[in-house]
Amino acid sequence: PQQVARARFVEGTGEVATVCDDGILRGWDAREGRLLWSIPASPDAGFDVALGGDGWLASAGLGGVGLFDRASG
């Protein structure tokens, strides 16, 4: 990705969720810098991301709001 639009830390897990200009949502291990998962969303998804401790991920952008399960995409 050329630009990270938003990054959110998940308290107590060491995980960071990012939404990027390429429309892909990514989860990172903040301690090791290792990619944990990636979910293709949409190029319009890139304004905000929220990550729940229960495995759900939400993104918001021009195309609306998307809700994803991190385990299955």
Side-chain angles (χ1 to χ4, degrees), residues 1 4 10 12 19 24 31 42 44 47-48 51-52 55-56 62-63 66-67 73:
V4 173
V10 183
V19 60
I24 298 178
R31 293 177 188 104
S42 161
D44 295 334
F47 288 142
D48 208 350
L51 189 59
W56 287 99
L62 291 173
L67 187 61

Side-chain angles (χ1 to χ4, degrees), residues 24-66:
I24 298 178
L25 309 170
R26 293 176 175 89
W28 303 89
D29 179 320
R31 293 177 188 104
E32 297 180 17
R34 181 174 49 93
L35 180 65
L36 301 173
W37 49 264
S38 64
I39 299 172
S42 161
D44 295 334
F47 288 142
D48 208 350
V49 63
L51 189 59
D54 58 357
W56 287 99
L57 173 72
S59 67
L62 291 173
V65 175

